Amino acid sequence: MSPYSCDAAGDRARFDRATAHLDAPLAVVDLGAFDANAADLVRRAQGKPVRVASKSVRCRALLERALARDGFAGVMSYTLAESLWLARSGFEDVLLAYPSADRAGFAELAADPKLAAAVAVVVDDVAQLELIDAARPAGGGEEVRVCLEWDTAFRPLGGRVRVGARRSPLSRPEQVAALARAVTRRPGFRVVGLMAYEGHVAGVGDAVAGHPLRSRAVRAVQAAARRELARRRWEVVRAVRAEAPDLEFVNGGGTGSVQYTVAEAAVTEVAAGSGLYVPRLFDNYRSFTGRPAAVFAQPAVRRPGGGVVTVLGGGYPASGVAGRDRSPVPYLPEGLRYDPQEEAGEVQTPLLGAAADGLRLGDKVWFRHAKAGEMCERFAELQLVEGDRVVATVPTYRGEGRTFL
């Protein structure tokens, strides 16, 4: 039985029937699984709004589908160009969650009242304000809405150990408050939000199959990190509100930590995106179980010998620390694995296992990507499947000619 589905054989049959008229390579989003995952995120958010992380979706139609559900509100974008494009497309609440050096984009933002009202940009350094000011049109343009990002890394043993991503240079309440003060005193800017991403909790699985000792260690560290973070986040929010009392939102979390983050009174909303598609890196959590919604198919093109089938392409590694967990995983039919001498290849990928002997040339082998939205950088469109039918074909960002990174 598949660890991902209660009916793997049935899923394969559904996907094959739905796409029988289409040649692979192709990508599918199972709308039943997508909607179930969205409902589970809302359940775990316990009444606080979920902001959709666009980098983990990269398809306007599916961003709109998520936002049409009660419990979702706003988009968390990843580049300024994307933010402006979404705002021009009708998305009214866009938080750019990564600093930008896009001077042309800032000039456009400050020149357009509609864009300036829809987009908030993250900063963690006064120098970023100076960059925005230098890009402003003559006369100063519109007020720029600013979100301050601060660092959540856990630093036990007196700071001698660091657990967490290297993001903002601001970690202490007084540092964040000082930046808030600098923003409020600078004409043309307004502090509207705070954000902090606890990637060491939200993005690290705590139940890795076959590694019980490691999993227990991860859970212990994450529990200590959550306690420390909750105390510090409360202090940061209190310090910033003293400088900018009209904060509109305090954003935190991620798919893997939604239920923990919303328990903090200081948090007003959580971010999540990967939990909609549920890629393979999100199989290793005790606190929730999602349904794989996004998969892609590669065609069988060679039969090198018994127990071996070769598919076209498939070498779609995910970002992050290089390792086997960043490769897509052969999903359906069950029982296929990579040849350790080749792994996933640029233009062809041999797969081993008894299931290979049941595949004919042209048959589809279904894969799951390691991460969520990055799959969409490989495909121009997604086939949206309900049951065993394709009910729509929608473009990804790439299919709309948008490659923001």
Side-chain angles (χ1 to χ4, degrees):
M1 188 66 69
S2 167
Y4 314 119
S5 169
C6 60
D7 185 15
D11 286 346
R12 182 193 176 197
R14 286 196 304 113
F15 296 151
D16 282 348
R17 284 197 299 271
T19 63
H21 61 296
L22 300 170
D23 290 331
L26 57 83
V28 158
V29 171
D30 182 344
L31 293 180
F34 182 94
D35 290 344
N37 293 334
D40 188 60
L41 286 169
V42 171
R43 177 190 63 81
R44 290 197 287 136
Q46 300 173 40
K48 292 186 178 179
V50 179
R51 186 179 290 273
V52 185
S54 64
K55 76 177 183 63
S56 299
V57 179
R58 303 194 200 202
C59 170
R60 280 198 299 167
L62 290 174
L63 289 174
E64 291 167 351
R65 187 181 185 92
L67 289 169
R69 300 182 65 94
D70 288 342
F72 285 85
V75 175
M76 176 177 281
S77 58
Y78 60 95
T79 75
L80 182 54
E82 178 210 16
S83 305
L84 300 177
W85 178 63
L86 290 175
R88 287 194 298 268
S89 301
F91 292 82
E92 297 178 347
D93 179 5
V94 181
L95 168 60
L96 172 58
Y98 303 85
S100 177
D102 180 353
R103 290 172 292 185
F106 282 128
E108 184 178 355
L109 175 68
D112 189 320
K114 179 182 176 182
L115 297 179
V119 177
V121 301
V122 77
V123 301
D124 56 27
D125 192 314
V126 171
Q128 293 156 354
L129 304 177
E130 295 169 352
L131 189 151
I132 296 171
D133 269 341
R136 286 181 182 276
E142 300 296 320
E143 181 179 68
V144 174
R145 303 170 70 246
V146 167
C147 174
L148 309 182
E149 183 179 8
W150 56 281
D151 184 63
T152 66
F154 181 42
R155 296 175 175 85
L157 302 177
R160 293 190 294 273
V161 175
R162 178 192 176 95
V163 180
R166 296 184 183 276
R167 291 177 67 106
S168 171
L170 311 175
S171 61
R172 301 191 305 275
E174 62 270 22
Q175 292 176 312
V176 191
L179 181 59
R181 190 178 313 119
V183 175
T184 57
R185 292 178 178 177
R186 196 178 189 106
F189 294 93
R190 179 162 58 96
V191 177
V192 298
L194 275 172
M195 72 160 287
Y197 173 55
E198 53 266 35
H200 49 299
V201 179
V204 178
D206 63 354
V208 182
H211 299 276
L213 295 179
R214 174 185 167 190
S215 297
R216 281 199 290 270
V218 168
R219 289 195 290 272
V221 171
Q222 287 181 338
R226 290 198 304 269
R227 290 192 295 270
E228 185 276 336
L229 176 58
R231 290 192 297 268
R232 185 154 49 101
R233 179 147 33 207
W234 178 262
E235 294 169 358
V236 167
V237 172
R238 183 175 58 182
V240 169
R241 285 195 185 278
E243 304 292 342
D246 298 325
L247 280 181
E248 297 174 10
F249 62 87
V250 176
N251 180 281
T255 289
S257 68
V258 166
Q259 66 278 8
Y260 303 120
T261 305
V262 297
E264 297 182 36
V267 172
T268 67
E269 64 175 40
V270 289
S274 295
L276 294 169
Y277 286 173
V278 186
R280 64 171 295 198
L281 285 177
F282 283 81
D283 291 338
N284 303 319
Y285 290 81
R286 287 200 314 169
S287 58
F288 74 97
T289 301
R291 290 174 54 186
V295 295
F296 65 91
Q298 304 296 119
V301 292
R302 280 182 173 169
R303 297 288 304 276
V308 186
V309 67
T310 299
V311 299
L312 183 70
Y316 305 158
S319 59
V321 179
R324 296 193 69 184
D325 66 344
R326 300 291 149 162
S327 293
V329 62
Y331 177 38
L332 301 170
E334 295 182 287
L336 294 173
R337 65 186 186 279
Y338 290 123
D339 182 333
Q341 301 298 316
E342 297 190 51
E343 294 287 335
E346 178 185 8
V347 291
Q348 68 169 32
T349 298
L351 298 170
L352 312 180
D357 292 331
L359 289 166
R360 300 165 299 176
L361 298 188
D363 282 353
K364 297 179 177 77
V365 175
W366 297 91
F367 291 78
R368 294 174 67 206
H369 205 278
K371 299 184 78 173
E374 292 183 26
M375 180 190 81
C376 294
E377 296 300 330
R378 298 287 183 166
F379 296 93
E381 57 190 27
L382 300 173
Q383 309 300 325
L384 305 186
V385 169
E386 284 185 350
D388 61 357
R389 296 185 305 116
V390 171
V391 295
T393 299
V394 296
T396 60
Y397 281 10
R398 174 180 170 174
E400 296 198 68
R402 306 289 176 166
T403 52
F404 295 111
L405 278 179

